[in-house]
Amino acid sequence: MTEELSGAALGAENVEKLRRYLRQLSDEKQPLPERNGRANVSAIALACGFDRQVLYKNPGAKRLLAEAVAELGLDAPAPTDAASEVSSDIR
């Protein structure tokens, strides 16, 4: 029989899952996944094994994520060189 956690216990467990994920990224010197210039909360939640709403509603998770954005940065795509995108087939 599985034991159901209280809301507070589940919240604390989710914060610990996020902490472990962020520690792993830090140890591997990896940035946070990015989408549209912000942390990709869907990708982060999936990696942690919880719903993305945790990152919006859990104060401890929100704080950890904000600190991680400042510390680890975001995995922004490399800027493209507009000149290299111009077709060389111009006549």
Side-chain angles (χ1 to χ4, degrees), residues 9-80:
L10 183 59
E13 183 178 280
N14 288 336
V15 167
E16 186 54 36
K17 287 178 181 179
L18 177 60
R19 184 174 280 118
R20 283 192 304 263
Y21 171 71
L22 295 173
R23 189 176 308 121
Q24 178 183 354
L25 288 180
S26 179
D27 290 348
E28 296 172 0
K29 301 194 182 337
Q30 295 292 316
L32 288 163
E34 177 268 344
R35 180 172 179 163
N36 295 328
R38 292 183 282 193
N40 185 335
V41 293
S42 294
I44 294 167
L46 183 63
C48 293
F50 54 66
D51 188 274
R52 67 189 177 99
Q53 289 300 312
V54 168
L55 297 170
Y56 294 113
K57 295 182 178 182
N58 181 313
K62 284 174 68 170
R63 181 184 49 77
L64 272 178
L65 182 58
E67 291 170 0
V69 168
E71 181 184 325
L72 301 173
L74 298 175
D75 186 19
T80 59

